[in-house]
């Protein structure tokens, strides 16, 4: 799923809940909730450079939308923007593997690897 989807969902969740702590926690958890829905994931063919460009464009569009909508809508701007960033955050754990085109190790028992395995399991319906 694209970062834009996660960012906008998280921003809407955070700004819809009147209690900032709960809204921000909900924004973070929204990442996993929408990843569990059937969706497609974009695959960038070619070099690592192409993948980096696609990721930078996705992140740039996400940031632009968060700031423009956060400042333009009748919402708490910082909560809207923070919720969007928190919803993107779980995907940052994959960056080293995405950028280097390596497979992520899953056999370790560290908290990060346990979360990675959970993340893979909930995306049972992801297609390319």
């Amino acid at each position: 799923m694209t970062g834009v989807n996660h960012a906008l969902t998280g921003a809407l969740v955070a700004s819809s809940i009147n209690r900032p702590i709960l809204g921000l926690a909900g924004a973070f958890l929204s990442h996993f909730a929408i990843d569990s829905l059937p969706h497609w994931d974009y695959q960038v063919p070619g070099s690592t450079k192409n993948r980096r460009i696609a990721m930078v464009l996705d992140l740039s569009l996400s940031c632009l939308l968060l700031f423009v909508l956060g400042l333009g809508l009748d919402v708490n701007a910082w909560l809207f923007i923070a919720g969007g960033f928190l919803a993107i955050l779980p995907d940052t754990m994959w960056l080293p593997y995405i950028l280097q085109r390596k497979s992520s190790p899953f056999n370790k028992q560290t908290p990060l690897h346990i979360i990675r395995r959970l993340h893979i399991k909930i995306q049972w319906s992801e297609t390319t």
Side-chain angles (χ1 to χ4, degrees):
M1 188 168 295
T2 66
V4 172
N5 296 58
H6 287 298
L8 293 179
T9 301
L12 291 172
V13 167
S15 63
S16 297
I17 299 174
N18 288 333
R19 302 181 81 180
I21 298 295
L22 293 177
L24 293 173
F28 180 79
L29 294 174
S30 75
H31 179 97
F32 300 100
I34 66 172
D35 264 354
S36 69
L37 300 173
H39 66 280
W40 62 273
D41 192 22
Y42 61 93
Q43 298 293 319
V44 180
S47 68
T48 301
K49 181 181 176 183
N50 290 347
R51 293 181 70 78
R52 287 185 181 143
I53 291 169
M55 290 171 63
V56 166
L57 289 173
D58 188 24
L59 182 60
S60 298
L61 181 59
S62 298
C63 291
L64 177 68
L65 286 171
L66 286 174
F67 283 103
V68 168
L69 293 173
L71 297 172
L73 295 174
D74 186 23
V75 295
N76 182 330
W78 80 265
L79 190 59
F80 188 88
I81 294 166
F85 282 114
L86 282 173
I88 296 172
L89 188 63
D91 277 341
T92 62
M93 69 180 157
W94 303 107
L95 283 177
Y97 302 100
I98 292 169
L99 294 176
Q100 297 172 10
R101 288 197 173 257
K102 292 183 186 176
S103 60
S104 174
F106 289 97
N107 56 350
K108 296 181 181 178
Q109 291 302 314
T110 65
L112 180 61
H113 290 87
I114 292 168
I115 292 170
R116 283 184 178 145
R117 285 194 298 273
L118 170 70
H119 203 190
I120 290 293
K121 284 182 184 178
I122 64 169
Q123 294 190 71
W124 60 272
S125 64
E126 184 177 80
T127 58
T128 55

